[in-house]
Amino acid sequence: MVTLDSIALAIVSGIANGMLLFLAAVGLTLIFGVLDVLNFAHGSLYMLGAYFTYFLVSDGGLLASLPGSFWLALVVAPLLVALVGVVMERFIIRPVYDQDHEFQLLLTFGLVLVIDNGARILWGTDFRSVSPPGLIDFQINLLGSGYPFYNVFLIIVGALAALTMWLVFERTRVGKIVRASSQDRGMANALGVNVPLVFTGTFLLGSLLAGLGGALAAPYQSIQPTMGESIIIESFIIVVIGGLGSFGGAFAGALLIGVVNSLAFLYLPSLQPVIPFLLVAVVLLTRPAGLFGKEVAA
Amino acid sequence: MTAVDRLRDSRTAVLSLGAVLAMLVLPFTGILSTFHLGLVISAMVLALFAMSFNLLFGYTGMLSFGHAAYFGTGAYTLALALDGQLGFLPSAFESFFPALLLAVVVAALVALVLGYLCVQRGDIYFAILTLALSMMLYETIYTWNDFTGGSDGITVLAEPIELGGLTLNLIDTGTFYYLTLAILVVSIVFIWRLINSPYGELLLSIRENPERATMIGVPVKRYQLSAFVIAGTFAGLAGTLFAVRTFIVTPHTLHWSMSAEPVMMTLLGGPSAFVGPIIGAVMFVGLEQFLSNITEYWQFGLGLLIVPIVLFFPDGLVGILRGDSGGIVDVRDYLSGLVGDEPTGKEDTHE
Amino acid sequence: MSDPLLELDGLTKRFGELTAVDDVTRSIHEDDLTALIGPNGAGKTTIYNLMTGVLSPTSGSVRFMGEDVTDLEPHERVHRGLGRSYQVTNVFEGLSVRRNIRAPIIARSKQRWNLLGSTTEEIESETDRVLDLVGLGDIEDTECSALSYGDKRRVEIGVSLATDPNLVLLDEPTAGMNPTETERMVDLVQNLDAETEQSFFMTEHDIEIIFSIASRILVLDRGAVIADGTPEEIRQNERVQSAYLGGEA
Ligand SMILES: Nc1ncnc2c1ncn2[C@@H]1O[C@H](COP(=O)(O)OP(=O)(O)OP(=O)(O)O)[C@@H](O)[C@H]1O
Ligand SMILES: [Mg+2]
């Protein structure tokens, strides 16, 4: 039944899911904006974030016996993913910074094959799940119905992450340095900025965010090796809509896709899988440069 | 044309003729079991698929990560037509060749529509969009249960074809071998002509520098779209053969992992050579046989191969055989870079 | 005086806050070799991008040979006779010199949609003609990526000429060249201007070159034309001296 309340609830759920999409897409877009590298394997890092969380908190896991294991995992898993990301950047991606984007895509596509199939070999293809920690594992009363608080928690964490990032990039010296390096490498270098360090740092941050997204997703969706490919395709859709390299575009695009998906799931279930793609088609035909795209000339 | 060119051309002609003759007699030599003959058929089908991909990637500079959309469209259209599910069409389309023709036309039309969207924004968005839109088609077919059979797919039953007193039984491996070979050879000749035509030369200019191509009067998007449709048509053709060969068409034929196959084959063989995708298809089928004995998730091994290939040997096996890897990163530089702190491959070009 | 070849009317381009081209209204005539000069960032390349259609103007219009081309795609303007070479060498690196020159010739012939045939005699002989014109005949089979910088710039000019333009926009044809290469390039441009039907419109950093070959000079400063005249007049102009020549010394 279509009531205002049910629409409102669907929107809240959509925003919650949109925050996870944002955490994945923002790293992709950040790395593209600063390093000019499109990392196909970014979704695989998200998938690793979820698996690491699972192995840290499930029975026999490293953190399982500790109190507050989920909260610890929320810190440790993203750090582990960031480590994977940094190794990837240092040994595989760094040599191709100045190459064509196609080239980078092919290279990181090889990494997708390795990581995603590696996960299948190591961990099998069965679904895994993690339950939310007791502290936030309850229902709240939202517009007269019971609603999982975990979704609200996702919204809070996502919004905090977005706000922090925005403040760091717009208001701090570090943010200025990163933006300068993304605009003109040569100039930043001449001004004494350690550009390789900025790049590695950016890759680390992007991976960390993907890992955080995956870790937060662990209690939210079933954990399986194909999570990475789903999220990278969704992230691609988001950056087509929002414009690659645009922070605001990633945020708006992620929330838009989250909410549209959630509404479609409720009211147009048979069309739901194709709706994000239709959205892409509409954006392409009406605003070819994307919602936040900028005009570029040769 | 210089004497060297003529010599090279005649050598190519002799080699190709020899290759076709060898393929013609292959089933008679008895060195291959039916199973292995089947593998050769698979390699031929995939070679066609990969060549259609490389018409875009190697010759027009467009990296499509959604080429399975047209491959799968060809496969599904053939399956649906043979199955008599396209009731709105004359029943003639229930027999093989008309169904094949229909499938190829539908694949071309789908390529026209999706391609139109994909070429709207240049560069990196093309790869992203081809991937995204192919997955849209995948989701559609997957969800549209009543018509497409959902995840179960559709079985493909090709009735024997009566052709002027001759009966072709496509289920027979030998017969299908020759049909596939014939289609492959005709397609190769067509694609060869295409890339050596004036039109093909403009595609090369787009590959090299789309911005400049515009400024010499090439309507770049229109050329990209036309190449996309041609490539989609051949991918659809490969898809129909694939459908007959595997007896069943599932949504997997449209999935991104299917789109990844011509990418991998082209990288293995080498995108800069005309025969690269063909060689790559043979390598791919061989690697699959070899690696899938070790693990079900054999593409892990493929990934381990792809990374160093892209880094060090972007011209694939053909490049290695030519003694010119074409690599942007030299293996030795890379290894010494790991020890020292010098970043590798970061040479700035003249600006 | 003949009808103007190119007319800019109130041409303006803003990038956000920055006005890169500010209300430029000028015409270019066939008999002149017109030069556009101005300090770094004055907006010269942006004007070229507006004329060729790579960028669309914030306001104003571009007319070419009497026709309003403001809303035409870049390749359509090329077909109408507006050619362009780039400040940063921008050729088809992986193709031979011959193919670089042949591509624009194919692009303007009916052969451009010939999918399965071969190039015609006409195209080949026209290619030979342009190769001769820019003196690249003896290296026609070399791949561009293997050429010296000076030769690449000649290919750059050759590619523009091969589009058979009425007006060629040359964006700093001697950028980055050594003195010998510069001299050869200046000779080439002068010869082409004298011997062929094309007219030229060029930008250049080296003012001495401009003064020696241009018959008319436009001076651009912060997007606006601040002077327009013969080399003699420009030399005398005080505004130019303070805004540009002064800054240069
Ligand atoms: N696509 C763009 N987006 C934003 N600003 C731009 C863009 N293109 C040019 N500009 C700005 O417009 C101004 C004019 O640039 P333009 O390249 O036209 O100058 P120019 O006269 O050609 O300089 P030079 O002598 O260095 O070649 C500069 O401040 C430049 O930074
Ligand atoms: Mg300039």
Side-chain angles (χ1 to χ4, degrees), chain B residues 69-78 81 86 88-89 93 96-114 137 228-240:
Chain B
Y70 320 103
F71 183 83
T73 300
Y76 265 97
T77 310
L78 183 88
L86 305 178
F88 48 90
L89 288 171
F93 284 104
F96 182 73
F97 283 111
L100 182 102
L101 193 68
L102 178 75
V104 168
V105 170
V106 174
L109 288 176
V110 174
L112 182 67
V113 174
L114 298 191
L137 208 59
F228 196 81
V229 171
I230 296 170
T233 309
F234 280 104
L237 184 59
T240 60

Side-chain angles (χ1 to χ4, degrees), chain A residues 66-271:
Chain A
L66 300 177
S69 62
F70 178 78
W71 303 102
L72 286 172
L74 221 46
V75 176
V76 177
L79 284 174
L80 290 174
V81 172
L83 188 69
V84 175
V86 167
V87 170
M88 210 157 99
E89 189 272 340
R90 175 68 183 84
F91 294 106
I92 294 170
I93 296 180
R94 191 176 292 185
V96 301
Y97 277 160
D98 292 336
Q99 296 303 314
D100 289 347
H101 292 137
E102 279 80 16
F103 200 86
Q104 303 163 351
L105 260 189
L106 291 173
L107 186 69
T108 50
F109 164 67
L111 292 175
V112 171
L113 291 180
V114 172
I115 300 177
D116 287 14
N117 289 299
R120 291 187 177 100
I121 293 171
L122 280 177
W123 306 320
T125 52
D126 295 343
F127 293 176
R128 318 258 176 166
S129 62
V130 167
S131 33
L135 190 61
I136 51 174
D137 191 12
F138 59 90
Q139 304 258 321
I140 56 166
N141 187 325
L142 195 64
L143 299 168
S145 18
Y147 189 81
F149 179 73
Y150 194 77
N151 287 6
V152 180
F153 171 70
L154 284 181
I155 297 177
I156 297 170
V157 177
L160 280 178
L163 188 68
T164 316
M165 255 183 293
W166 185 79
L167 285 176
V168 169
F169 281 113
E170 295 295 321
R171 296 288 157 84
T172 68
R173 215 181 106 74
V174 174
K176 252 194 207 130
I177 291 175
V178 171
R179 274 183 297 149
S181 315
S182 77
Q183 269 153 21
D184 190 335
R185 265 175 235 187
M187 183 58 94
N189 217 341
L191 292 175
V193 173
N194 183 343
V195 176
L197 185 71
V198 170
F199 281 14
T200 305
T202 304
F203 208 92
L204 185 145
L205 178 62
S207 311
L208 192 81
L209 290 166
L212 178 65
L216 286 168
Y220 179 80
Q221 60 189 97
S222 47
I223 303 167
Q224 48 176 320
T226 55
M227 303 170 76
E229 60 190 56
S230 319
I231 197 88
I232 192 68
I233 289 171
E234 284 184 289
S235 300
F236 280 161
I237 290 176
I238 289 165
V239 298
V240 170
I241 291 177
L244 252 175
S246 155
F247 179 86
F251 192 73
L255 291 194
L256 183 69
I257 291 291
V259 169
V260 166
N261 260 341
S262 163
L263 288 173
F265 188 74
L266 210 58
Y267 301 114
L268 281 170
S270 60
L271 275 182

Side-chain angles (χ1 to χ4, degrees), chain A residues 295-297, chain C residues 15 18 20 38-47 55 87 172 205:
Chain A
E295 185 174 26
V296 277
Chain C
F15 296 109
L18 175 86
N40 276 335
K44 304 179 293 287
T45 300
T46 306
I47 287 202
L55 290 173
Q87 179 171 355
E172 295 207 30
H205 257 114

Side-chain angles (χ1 to χ4, degrees), chain C residues 31-86:
Chain C
D31 343 302
D32 281 319
L33 198 169
T34 314
L36 178 67
I37 62 173
N40 276 335
K44 304 179 293 287
T45 300
T46 306
I47 287 202
Y48 275 18
N49 283 335
L50 293 171
M51 292 195 283
T52 54
V54 175
L55 290 173
S56 37
T58 311
S59 62
S61 67
V62 180
R63 294 177 77 80
F64 183 64
M65 295 172 75
E67 180 190 5
D68 188 337
V69 297
T70 320
D71 296 324
L72 293 186
E73 296 278 319
H75 72 261
E76 293 172 314
R77 302 188 199 200
V78 178
H79 287 301
R80 281 164 177 72
L82 191 59
R84 177 202 190 154
S85 86
Y86 287 77

Side-chain angles (χ1 to χ4, degrees), chain C residues 45 57 78 123 129 206 228:
Chain C
T45 300
V78 178
I123 286 179
R129 189 185 69 79
D206 188 332
D228 177 355

Side-chain angles (χ1 to χ4, degrees), chain A residues 38 90-91 99 101 103 105-107 109 113-114 117-118 120 125 229 236 240 244 273-274 277 280 284 288 298, chain B residues 117 121 123-125 127-128 132 136 140 211 255-256 260 263-264 297 299-300 303-304 307 310 328 334 337-338:
Chain A
L38 194 61
R90 175 68 183 84
F91 294 106
Q99 296 303 314
H101 292 137
F103 200 86
L105 260 189
L106 291 173
L107 186 69
F109 164 67
L113 291 180
V114 172
N117 289 299
R120 291 187 177 100
T125 52
E229 60 190 56
F236 280 161
V240 170
L244 252 175
V274 295
F277 302 101
V280 165
L284 278 177
Chain B
L117 293 171
R121 262 196 261 173
D123 193 34
I124 198 61
Y125 285 104
I128 296 179
M136 170 174 85
T140 309
E211 178 207 357
H255 193 253
W256 77 266
V263 180
M264 298 187 277
Y297 308 110
Q299 294 202 349
F300 177 77
L304 286 183
V307 171
V310 175
I328 53 119
Y334 177 79
L338 291 188

